[in-house]
Amino acid sequence: MHFDALTLACLTHELKAAAQETRVQQILMPDDQSLGFELYGKKQRHYLFLSADPNAGRVYLSTKKLRRGTDAQPPLLLRLRKLARGAFLRSITQPDAAERILRIELDHPQHGVSTLLIELIGRQSNILLLGPDGRILECMRRFRPPKERSTGQRTILPGRQYAPPQPMNQVHPLDGQLMSKMELLSKEVEPSEKVRTFLVQQISGVSPTQARELSWRAAGDAEARMESTTAVDLANAVQALWAAVGHGRWLPGMVIEDGQVIGFVPYELHFRGEFRPTDSISQALERFFTQRIEGQKTAAPSSVPSAKPSSSHSSLPGSELKEVDAIDPYAALRRTVADQIRSAHQRIDRQLSALSKDEPKRGEPDELRMKAEWLLALSSQLDNEQDEVTIELGDQTMTIARVSGKTPVEQAEQMFDRAAKLERAAIFIPQRRETLLNDRTFLAQLEVDLAQAENQPEVAAVQNELRQAGYLPTRQKPMQKGGAASNKPRQYVSTDGYAILVGRNARQNDQLTFKIAGGADLWFHVRDVPGSHVVLRSGGQPMSDETVQVAAQFAAYYSQKKGERAVPVAYTECRFVTRVPGGHPGLVHMRNEKTVTVPAELPAL
């Protein structure tokens, strides 16, 4: 679905009612292409989200407090903090109902009036701050057109006078002569042309989604051709749909298909999916884009001890439509850290690939040394011009290629050096490979930790683990604010009164297993995938099968296998769990384990 001019018109109507005359309390960047404003007025607090994402430009009022998702502080953010923080939103307008441009006038008690412009025009989407004289004070994206292509292109730079995008040569949907103009235009097209194509090309502000709906309303088919309808019917459909711009009676909603939110519209949609009304267009936008972001989360499958290495990546589950709380206020933070983990994975994969290329073949150093010894033995008999030396060794023949420009002695010395390097590599490379595989296992655990993080400090804790592991520069400013991450594991009590502790992240897993748990307590972990360490405080007492299954379910639920129906969970006494020598926090070996298969869902206690 498309964030078109009609969607913006609906949103502008909503913003005027909710946010006009509110005061800007705070400004932050949820990601590197978006701005978040905390507004207060009329005894209510609102969170305005603005994004200039070239592929998903959007504006809406968020139901959740917006969170900082990047440490970057670009010039636009710094300028806004000076001129907009503390300012009042005096007016919110859409200068032209057929254009995707939102204008917000800011009035600061000290710095006066400035204007925030949000241009949601595809790949040229931008957020600009203008002074009272219409000059650009700062912008999200700067652009200076090349001289050879400057015709028709705007220069977007601080200090330049703002110029709006050039209007398209199309009919305005609110034009009083829409009927007659469409009759003339329809005569110039082929009868076989699709209605939706005609509308997108000839009527300004009409998106492909809107064009299909208009085609359905005028001809009963979203893919109808011009020959199946009339210009009058089309004009009536356009006027009826756009009438809400004047009277303000919008019908925003979501479009549902196969249990997923596939779109948002400010009117009842008929041609696809199930239309489900919402209280506001912001609610529909937030649900759609949150689900889209959640669906893009990825994690690389890796392992707990003894897991098989893999370089592929698997998708984490997206948010469920039924879960209103699935809207994630930390989505931008998670994306930042997820990208950092992904980069670390790629770095490890490159190093493993390089090791495979450099690793000597079995017996290669010995073979090279033997050839060097034969060259020394035969050095007085060899001609320096020979291309190769052939030596009969019983039922086998050994061929030594000669190196041009080197005497047999010089070549032998070079081969001895090479053999020594290969011997060292034969020892070093397996050790280095084991370290890298442990690193990859650890990164996979961090991905699970990130997915389970419940607040900003817990997301920041994952990033700090990356930094301590050497995958982020120490000079980079760490995430702060939002309090401290919980230093206590999750705690549950079984039906027969035994405590069950669940680690929240890799470092807490380590503390839970080796500092909190007793040696006779039972330790649980899903086999071969990353997840939380779970400790059943049994104290060596015999546990019922029901209690063991409950603890195992917690281990399965707080793992990469969450949601699966049958997950194998290993368990043993804590005294049989040991750290991987030199490994990262939470990486362990276990012995004397048993296995129970359980569903990866929270047990009913």
Side-chain angles (χ1 to χ4, degrees), residues 409-427:
V409 173
E410 291 172 337
Q411 182 178 347
E413 290 175 347
Q414 186 180 54
M415 294 170 74
F416 279 127
D417 290 341
R418 173 65 178 163
K421 289 180 181 179
L422 291 177
E423 285 180 334
R424 291 194 296 271
I427 297 173

Side-chain angles (χ1 to χ4, degrees), residues 124-382:
Q124 299 179 47
S125 294
N126 210 338
I127 301 176
L128 306 96
L129 182 65
L130 310 183
D133 59 354
R135 291 188 179 275
I136 300 172
L137 300 178
E138 200 47 81
C139 52
M140 181 75 76
R141 293 190 181 89
R142 303 182 180 191
F143 179 73
R144 185 194 300 274
K147 292 181 180 179
E148 64 272 15
R149 296 193 298 114
S150 60
T151 303
Q153 292 186 310
R154 301 180 297 160
T155 297
I156 309 281
L157 291 173
R160 294 297 186 96
Q161 192 72 27
Y162 171 74
Q166 286 193 341
M168 302 289 287
N169 185 24
Q170 295 175 308
V171 180
H172 199 285
L174 300 179
D175 192 321
Q177 298 181 353
L178 177 66
M179 187 84 67
S180 59
K181 289 183 178 181
M182 287 190 69
E183 285 181 337
L184 291 174
L185 290 170
S186 64
K187 294 177 182 179
E188 299 176 1
V189 300
E190 294 292 332
S192 60
E193 182 172 309
K194 289 192 174 182
V195 172
R196 59 179 174 83
T197 304
F198 170 78
L199 291 171
V200 170
Q201 292 177 349
Q202 303 298 340
I203 310 298
S204 61
V206 173
S207 66
T209 299
Q210 187 186 143
R212 285 179 169 86
E213 174 64 18
L214 289 169
S215 177
W216 186 93
R217 294 188 180 201
D221 182 0
E223 298 298 323
R225 301 187 184 277
M226 291 295 293
E227 60 191 1
S228 61
T229 187
T230 66
V232 174
D233 289 339
L234 282 178
N236 286 334
V238 172
Q239 289 173 337
L241 197 65
W242 281 76
V245 175
H247 58 58
R249 294 190 292 274
W250 299 94
L251 184 58
M254 303 178 294
V255 183
I256 312 300
E257 196 170 85
D258 296 330
Q260 299 292 309
V261 181
I262 65 165
F264 50 87
V265 281
Y267 47 79
E268 184 176 4
L269 194 82
H270 299 87
F271 74 89
R272 183 181 178 186
E274 172 197 350
F275 174 77
R276 186 174 300 178
T278 54
D279 294 335
S280 66
I281 191 65
S282 285
Q283 182 181 346
L285 287 162
E286 185 175 32
R287 290 291 297 277
F288 172 78
F289 284 105
T290 299
Q291 179 175 279
R292 175 174 170 175
I293 290 168
E294 289 293 312
Q296 292 172 349
K297 287 182 182 179
T298 56
S302 52
S303 54
V304 290
S306 77
K308 296 179 181 179
S310 172
S311 61
S312 61
H313 297 267
S314 62
S315 296
L316 290 178
S319 58
E320 294 294 330
L321 177 64
K322 297 178 182 178
E323 297 289 341
V324 175
D325 290 337
I327 295 176
D328 183 7
Y330 306 100
L333 293 177
R334 291 187 207 276
R335 286 201 306 276
T336 297
V337 181
D339 287 343
Q340 292 168 340
I341 295 175
R342 192 173 299 111
S343 295
H345 264 296
Q346 293 169 350
R347 175 177 163 186
I348 288 177
D349 289 344
R350 288 194 299 269
Q351 292 174 331
L352 286 169
S353 178
L355 287 181
S356 297
K357 294 177 182 178
D358 294 340
E359 188 171 18
K361 297 177 182 178
R362 186 179 184 89
E364 185 178 358
D366 292 336
E367 181 182 351
L368 194 59
R369 183 173 284 106
M370 180 185 295
K371 289 181 178 180
E373 290 171 348
W374 274 105
L375 279 179
L376 284 179
L378 301 173
S379 59
S380 60
Q381 306 173 32
L382 297 178

